[in-house]
Structures are given as C-alpha cells and as structure tokens.
Amino acid sequence: MSSCSKSNPQLNCPVEQQGITNCGKVHYHLTTPQLYEQALLRQEGTVAHLGPLAVYTGAFTGRAPKDRFIVREPDSEGKIGWGDINKPIDSDTFDRLYHRLLAFLQGKDIFVQDCYVGANPAYRLPIRIVTEKAWQNLFARNMFRRIRDQKILAQFAPEYTVIAAPSFLADPKTDGTRSSAFVLLNFKRKLIIIGGTGYGGEIKKSIFTVMNFLLPQKGVLPMHCSANLGKNGDSAVFFGLSGTGKTTLSADPDRILIGDDEHGWGDDGIFNFEGGCYAKVIHLSPEAEPQIYRCTRLFGTILENVPMDPATRLLDLDDTSITENTRAAYPLEYIDNASPTGLAPHPKDIVMLTCDAFGVLPPVSRLTPEQAMYHFLSGYTAKVAGTEAGIVEPQSTFSTCFGAPFMVMHPTVYSTLLGERIRKHKSACWLINTGWTGGGPDEASRIAIKYTRRLLHAALGGELDRVEFETEPYFGLSIPKHCPEIPDEVLNPITSWKDKEKYKRQATDLRQRFKENFKVFEANVDPDLREIM
C-alpha cells in the first residue's frame, strides 16, 4: 500500500482515529524496498556490502531499563509485580508526555506497520507500530508477523499501538521521567510510547512485555526462549540470557527453527510470537554460526551499530568501538530451515543455557522438574572480566525467568505455569553450560562450541537416556558419565580442574550466590524448591 497524506480512506482505522493528527505524510505498510528508499532519502542509514541496511541508534545501543515505566491504574495494578524493574508512573504524567509527543509529530512524516504478534490465531495480538524513522518501521516489519493480504490490512484494527520517536526528548523536570529517554507502557490505554532512544529492541521488548501481561491471564506461558523442531516432530525450547547461545544453538541445520527469542506455550503446543530474528553479531563467524552470518549479507536485514569500511562498505563484525551489542534484525524466512507456521507440538525437551564464567557448572546436566523451576526462577549466567567497565572478575547475573526486565507479573506466576506444563507433558529438562570448564577465564578456555552442539544433540536425540549418571555434590546436578565423541573428563568439571581446592572454593561460592538470590522467592514457592540447594 502506498504512502498517503494525512489519512487513507481505504483503511478501516487510519491514525487519526488514534489521536495522531496534522502529520505530514503518513506512510502505511511500506514494503521493504520502499522503506529502504525512505531511509536512504532521509539519511537514516547506509547500504552495506551485499545489501543490508546499516544504521546507528544514537546514544543508546541497548535497552534503557531504568527509563521504562508502567502506568499504575486500578484495572491492572494488582496483577503487576511492582519493584525495581516494573516501576510505576501515574496516568496524568503519561497523558502529559503523550500529548507533547503528539504535538512533536505534527507536520512530520510518520511510518505505520500493522502486524500480528503470535503465530497461533487463538492468541495472536493485532498491533500497530508508528515510527518517526523509516528504518524503525522496517525493523517492525522484520520482527513481527507480517500481513500480506491487502484486504486484511485495509480492515485491520490494532489492539495495541506503539509510537516510537527517537528525536523526541523528554524533559525530566516537566515530564516526570528519569532522563530524556522513556519507554512508557499503558495497559489501560493499550498504548506504548517510546522517545529519546533509537534502539530497535525497545519496540520489540515492549510488545513482549505486553504478551507477558496478557497471556498468563489466558493460561498460556510466555517464554523468553528460542525453539526448534526435530525431524521426528520433537520440539525443544532454549531458555538463556544474552550471550549464552540461545540464538546460535537453536539455529541448527538439522532441525527446523521455530523462532529465536519469544514463544508461548498453550494447551495445543508452542508458538512463536515473532516473524523475525534479532541476533547479536559481535564476533560472528561463518564457521560457528553460518546461517546467522549469511543474514548479515542480505538485502532486508537491518544492522544496528555494526562498524564498516566507509569506502568498501565491508562489515567488521569484530569491531566493538561502538558497542558489544551489535545486532542484526532479519525476517525468519532468511533462515533456510525456518518453520513457515511458527507452530510446534509440546516440547519434548526444555533446555536452560548458562554461560558460567566461574567454570564450575557441568557442560550438561539433567534436571528434575523441581530443579528446572528453581533454575528458571534463578535465571543464572555470569559476565566475564573485561566485558564491561569495572568488572575485574567473573560476576554472577540472575535474571528471573531468563528475562526479568519483561516479566511484568510476579515471577512465580510464570514458574508455576512452567512446572505444570513440564509435569503434564513429561518434558525432559536440561541445564547446559556454554561457559568455561577446567577453570575460570584466567586459566581455562570456554567450552568448545562443537562439544556443546554434540552434547545438545545427544540430549535431544535420546543418547543420554542410555548412559549412567552421577550426582555432583555442590548443586545436586545429575551428570552423564559418558557421551559419544566427548572426553569423559569434560563432563564433570572437578575432573578438568588442576587445582581441586580452588574448584571447591569456586563451587561453594557460586552455590551461596544461588541461595542468596533465591531468598526473594522462598515465601512464595513450594518447600521442595527451597531445598534444591
């Protein structure tokens, strides 16, 4: 559908009906080539070698969690787990900032994409993404589920709307925000407004937060996970924080990719929320991540904050001068073996990924349902010294449900749903450490990805069902004694440490960190979970 001025009579719901008036041109549902043209015309980005659109997101190269607020109002406030993550803002403050944002958009061209979130028609959410920048609209077109039928687009009525205007800066004194950037969610108005930041992930994750609010009320578990499907119809989901391998390990050429980041688990199986992938590309290699690497060389892909040679436009995926959080946003169909439906049966396997920089967790462990709930609530990984300013030794990170910034309800709402589904569908549960073994980063190396892939294939393929297990003493984890093509000493970390006493100190220390972190949940969980460690 072509661009239009102010309104489009063919649309059932033009933006004027949503209070957006007196704009310049309103570009409805532009295609990928059209959005390229607009982005280049407006000098929003550059075409890199072989065709991706390279953009810079400004001062923010990642999410701004301290600038995210939820409107506190009677209809939803009792369902939200308020705290440091879900911070409240009042309705009047939201309305004042919203009206200033609408005034800012007057006279400006805007871009609109109408799309769905959720591959399962029973639970999908119709959304509208309104952006100041053409490239942000292409980001939405890549990330959400496109509507290709023009008749459906003409009759489309969004339930939730996101308005993103990175050039609009809030005034903290006037607007009640923390800084000039803001991400405000209003569940009563079904409206999200974003300003002061151009980072595309804010659009994506604000909608994920909405799904984390809506779906549990329908008995559906929203999950911050990737998912894939085996040749025998056996599905697996992969929980993990950034850097643990969630995207890399799910993009397996021998399995069908369902999605790389956000899914729901309902009564009839799992389903992808999105229509695209948003992959970290720092240090990406064609050998270790061939499918994702190929996508950084395709027309239609958006590259965020990836440095390149200004003359040849060749990318430098190892350059961290802008940020370590370089990203590629591309349609799911760019992955050769991606599922066209985004649907899969109940997962046979639940995989929880951690990058343990302490080097004490086993490369693979089998979990009981109670242990799975414990590790789901814990959401552990570790940052390595040198990755961020001020980090001089491994630093533990606990992010509830492997996605605390987006879990708008109390964490036990999600863990209870997970436990119920694991037991009902008898899913096997695994903890896989993609971090270090035989010592920390100062004395050992990260587990080879070929070992991790082999262990994962053995777990998903049933090979580990036929081997003997042993229980390690610090975390109560069940470890296989053997795995084909993997040296036995790799499987149990204490055997790969030269300094056994240091291993014991590190394991004891990490175990205590788990216990301290879990204290916040103890009053709201079953006694069995309190005794896991």
Side-chain angles (χ1 to χ4, degrees), residues 122-137:
Y123 305 114
R124 72 185 179 192
L125 180 71
I127 62 170
R128 169 167 286 178
I129 310 298
V130 180
T131 63
E132 174 194 4
K133 304 289 187 182
W135 81 259
Q136 286 186 304
N137 222 242

Side-chain angles (χ1 to χ4, degrees), residues 46-47 56 307-314:
T46 305
V47 177
Y56 297 98
M308 64 180 175
D309 185 289
T312 65
R313 309 293 174 87
L314 290 169

